[in-house]
Amino acid sequence: MTEEETRRKRQARFERLAHVVVEPLHRYLLRRAGADMAEDVLSETMLVLWRRIDDVPGPGAGSDPEPDANPDRSPSPDEVLPWCYGVARGCLANARRADGRRLRLVERLIRTQQRPPTGAADHSDHSDLHAALGALGALDREVVQLWAWEELAPRQIAEVTGLTSNAVSIRLHRAKRKLAAQLGRKDAERPGHKRDEGRSSQ
């Protein structure tokens, strides 16, 4: 079988599979998540099914020890849905983990803002930091907060934000320079204060 024939066979099998599973998977996700998340996770689930089409059980499965007499027939829901539900469950868990990271970031920011000052100097430092962060664009601010507070590496921040690792590194470098420029004047006003540059962004 040529490469083109293999591609067409995989495409046809995926289309037959999608015809059977899209609506049940959508209902499955809507029962467990909001409409927006369900749509996103359904798209991710179908992408995984396309990538792993040879692993999906049913007619035409690449790993089927007993090849179907008619590999071109449409699969029955009983043959494929349990496996596909497992994929959707994993994709939903991944989406919730990503949302959880964002929620923890917001909660930590709120706790930080509400924390009572322990002294005039600490309160001043806190206000300076939030003012400097507030001067950044929303995406740059999120990148910096994920790096500084959640201690994520650029490749992990890329997962959260949907950027590439290279784009995250560039944004992080530029944002830290902006923060340093804004906070540098305050540092210079505090005798004996030495700024900790923190972790490497690499």
Side-chain angles (χ1 to χ4, degrees), residues 62-182:
S63 57
D64 189 353
E66 297 180 7
D68 196 285
N70 181 17
D72 294 331
R73 70 177 175 85
S74 293
S76 71
D78 288 344
E79 288 176 307
V80 294
L81 271 177
W83 197 91
C84 294
Y85 283 145
V87 173
R89 183 172 180 269
C91 291
L92 181 58
N94 289 339
R96 283 176 171 159
R97 277 194 292 271
D99 262 15
R101 286 194 291 268
R102 296 187 185 98
L103 179 60
R104 286 193 298 274
L105 175 63
V106 172
E107 289 174 344
R108 184 173 297 188
L109 178 58
I110 292 172
R111 286 197 303 270
T112 302
Q113 291 173 330
Q114 294 176 342
R115 187 179 302 149
T118 58
D122 288 342
H123 181 263
S124 176
D125 288 348
H126 212 72
S127 299
D128 295 343
L129 175 59
H130 280 287
L133 284 170
L136 297 176
L139 186 53
D140 285 347
R141 183 165 57 251
E142 183 177 10
V143 166
V144 169
Q145 289 169 337
L146 287 169
W147 171 79
W149 289 351
E150 304 302 332
E151 299 184 353
L152 300 185
R155 61 180 177 78
Q156 295 169 311
I157 296 172
E159 257 187 81
V160 178
T161 60
L163 298 169
T164 65
S165 295
N166 187 52
V168 167
S169 296
I170 292 171
R171 281 183 177 272
L172 184 57
H173 176 70
R174 290 175 179 171
K176 286 195 294 181
R177 285 179 59 188
K178 290 178 183 177
L179 287 174
Q182 292 184 59

